Amino acid sequence: MDIDKLFYKHLMKNLFADPCEVNFWDDELIKYGIGNPQFRINFNEPIPKLKIIRDPYMTFGEGYMLKKFDVVGSVQKVIESIYKNQDSFLHQKNGYTKLFKVFTSNIRENIENIQFHYDIGNDFFRLWLDETLTYSCAYFMSPEDSLLQAQRNKVTHILRKLNLTPGQTLLDIGCGWGELILTAAKVYRTKALGITLSSEQYTKTLRRVENEGLQDLVEVQLIDYKELEGRTFDRVVSVGMIEHVGKEHLNDYFSTVKSLLNEDGVSLLHCITAYKESPTNSWIKKYIFPGGYIPTIQELVALMAANNFYLIDVESLREHYTKTLEHWIQNFENSLPLIMKIKDETFIRMWRLYLNSSAASFHSGNLDLHQFLFTKGVNNTLPLTRKNIYF
């Protein structure tokens, strides 16, 4: 992923008071703001980030002089638009240095942290996950359900809660290997976009979309959710992703979902939860989930309210995760001869400890798993009961 490009996108997003277009050096055209664009910035080449941080006025002045970028429209309008935006970093002392550090460290950390855990090889995950490569809590309609059936149950459970209809748009933040967006397209004829920071998940999901001939309905992007520009959706879902954003960025998640949802839109958040705040286990943080944080139920509900969401439904799936992990553990141990061909003993012992300690945490109640269903604005069209979920 091009960190320089992400830096520029974030810079342009927060720079102007008026709607505009920015054409980057690779010919990607992005519209910022609502309404007709008042001008367009054409970048002919990237300008070093450090120069912008040290002296943005000099850097952009010389950049225009030396034709590093052009303006289509009134140059005066461009400058006035910057001045009118009182929230711009240019109106704050050391504002951009602070913004740059927060933005780049968060994006880079997100990418590195996700890839640390998920890009250790599809071949490894394939040995102990189910056939759909679903790596999150399953839903057991019966104790006798296979892991594959329970994972399909989970996807069905979520899609029913979202109350999808044909033609609606769906965003899956942290789409994994694509099972949810593929099912939404096939069953509901939903136009679905899945985004991930894992290059291995992206490649595999893209192949699945092509193999099933769903290119007209399903799209996949390798992108951070905060960098998704110029699009809104009827439904937004996230399964097992918010645990990776960090405590300091929890509100960023909800405010971003709010901006991505259409009015009356519905969102479902499926995530591990805690009942009291505590620091992340240092071993888990170092070896399994660097940058991870398990949010408390209180934090999540408070942030939903702070962002003016209406909380519709909350469901605990704690023991479902215990059973899911027990299936994974059994598959892991049964696959040891094959795992030993691609991973060393230290790695195997590390993952064995991780899976087993996780099962113990859910079964003992130290951790929980909740699904939160909430809406942007008052949505009076949703079913009055849960019959649509359990029929």
Side-chain angles (χ1 to χ4, degrees):
M1 185 171 290
D2 188 343
I3 297 296
D4 288 344
K5 187 74 170 295
L6 294 180
F7 169 87
Y8 270 86
K9 286 182 176 181
H10 198 73
L11 169 66
M12 294 295 111
K13 178 180 178 181
N14 294 279
L15 189 59
F16 304 105
D18 300 292
C20 65
E21 291 180 332
V22 177
N23 193 31
F24 290 95
W25 49 88
D26 60 358
D27 289 330
E28 181 182 7
L29 181 66
I30 295 180
K31 179 184 174 184
Y32 294 95
I34 300 172
N36 294 326
Q38 301 299 301
F39 49 83
R40 186 170 77 235
I41 308 295
N42 289 333
F43 279 100
N44 300 315
E45 61 182 270
I47 301 171
K49 297 189 298 292
L50 287 179
K51 286 190 175 183
I52 298 174
I53 294 166
R54 290 169 182 156
D55 192 339
Y57 296 100
M58 177 67 76
T59 301
F60 282 120
E62 290 183 343
Y64 187 75
M65 287 168 54
L66 300 173
K67 210 172 182 179
K68 294 180 183 291
F69 67 90
D70 294 311
V71 173
V72 178
S74 169
V75 174
Q76 177 181 341
K77 179 71 175 177
V78 173
I79 298 172
E80 288 178 353
S81 188
I82 294 174
Y83 286 158
K84 283 192 300 182
N85 184 9
Q86 293 300 311
D87 293 328
S88 166
F89 71 92
L90 293 173
H91 295 284
Q92 304 170 23
K93 185 177 181 181
N94 298 323
Y96 198 68
T97 302
K98 179 179 178 182
L99 180 148
F100 172 76
K101 288 179 179 177
V102 170
F103 170 73
T104 55
S105 63
N106 180 229
I107 294 294
R108 186 177 288 108
E109 286 173 8
N110 279 350
I111 296 169
E112 292 173 352
N113 292 342
I114 292 299
Q115 292 178 347
F116 180 92
H117 188 82
Y118 293 97
D119 283 357
I120 56 179
N122 287 344
D123 289 343
F124 169 66
F125 285 108
R126 192 177 292 112
L127 291 174
W128 53 276
L129 295 179
D130 67 286
E131 291 90 325
T132 67
L133 288 179
T134 302
Y135 185 33
S136 56
C137 175
Y139 187 76
F140 292 84
M141 298 291 289
S142 163
E144 287 73 42
D145 282 344
S146 67
L147 179 59
L148 173 60
Q149 183 59 54
Q151 291 293 9
R152 287 174 172 165
N153 293 343
K154 184 266 298 297
V155 170
T156 297
H157 196 58
I158 289 174
L159 297 179
R160 285 178 175 175
K161 284 186 176 184
L162 289 170
N163 198 42
L164 291 168
T165 58
Q168 286 184 325
T169 52
L170 169 69
L171 170 66
D172 185 356
I173 301 176
C175 65
W177 285 274
E179 183 67 13
L180 190 146
I181 53 176
L182 289 166
T183 304
K186 287 185 287 188
V187 176
Y188 294 95
R189 306 309 294 172
T190 299
K191 296 179 180 178
L193 167 63
I195 60 175
T196 179
L197 289 178
S198 166
S199 58
E200 295 225 6
Q201 289 180 345
Y202 168 77
T203 302
K204 174 66 176 180
T205 304
L206 201 60
R207 189 177 303 118
R208 292 187 68 188
V209 172
E210 293 170 353
N211 288 343
E212 300 201 33
L214 292 170
Q215 296 94 325
D216 291 342
L217 288 174
V218 181
E219 180 185 357
V220 190
Q221 290 188 29
L222 185 65
I223 189 174
D224 187 272
Y225 72 103
K226 294 190 295 297
E227 294 306 307
L228 194 59
E229 301 283 354
R231 296 179 68 172
T232 58
F233 303 84
D234 300 309
R235 302 289 187 266
V236 173
V237 63
S238 180
V239 178
M241 174 271 178
I242 201 171
E243 301 93 323
H244 298 288
V245 307
K247 179 178 175 62
E248 65 274 21
H249 298 290
L250 286 175
N251 188 63
D252 293 342
Y253 172 83
F254 286 103
S255 62
T256 301
V257 169
K258 185 177 180 180
S259 69
L260 290 169
L261 269 178
N262 293 326
E263 198 63 30
D264 298 330
V266 181
S267 183
L268 185 141
L269 174 64
H270 169 120
C271 65
I272 299 171
T273 55
Y275 288 94
K276 61 180 180 179
E277 185 177 340
S278 60
T280 304
N281 178 301
S282 59
W283 182 82
I284 291 287
K285 189 172 183 178
K286 180 176 181 179
Y287 290 102
I288 306 297
F289 286 117
Y293 171 75
I294 304 302
T296 66
I297 299 170
Q298 302 94 305
E299 283 178 300
L300 296 173
V301 173
L303 287 170
M304 290 174 204
N307 284 277
N308 299 316
F309 286 120
Y310 286 77
L311 183 57
I312 303 298
D313 189 83
V314 180
E315 182 180 12
S316 169
L317 302 183
R318 180 176 60 82
E319 274 298 83
H320 291 268
Y321 217 164
T322 302
K323 287 187 67 63
T324 303
L325 281 152
E326 289 171 351
H327 276 273
W328 289 346
I329 291 166
Q330 184 177 358
N331 291 347
F332 184 88
E333 298 296 342
N334 290 342
S335 300
L336 269 184
L338 295 174
I339 295 175
M340 291 172 65
K341 293 181 179 181
I342 58 176
K343 301 295 180 183
D344 63 23
E345 184 180 6
T346 300
F347 179 93
I348 291 170
R349 292 171 65 91
M350 175 179 70
W351 269 80
R352 179 182 290 131
L353 176 59
Y354 158 59
L355 292 172
N356 282 273
S357 62
S358 296
S361 292
F362 285 101
H363 193 56
S364 66
N366 291 337
L367 293 176
D368 209 323
L369 188 290
H370 280 89
Q371 289 185 350
F372 301 87
L373 188 72
F374 51 95
T375 64
K376 178 179 178 178
V378 178
N379 187 328
N380 294 328
T381 66
L382 296 176
L384 291 175
T385 71
R386 291 179 171 178
K387 288 183 179 179
N388 67 304
I389 302 173
Y390 298 110
F391 67 84

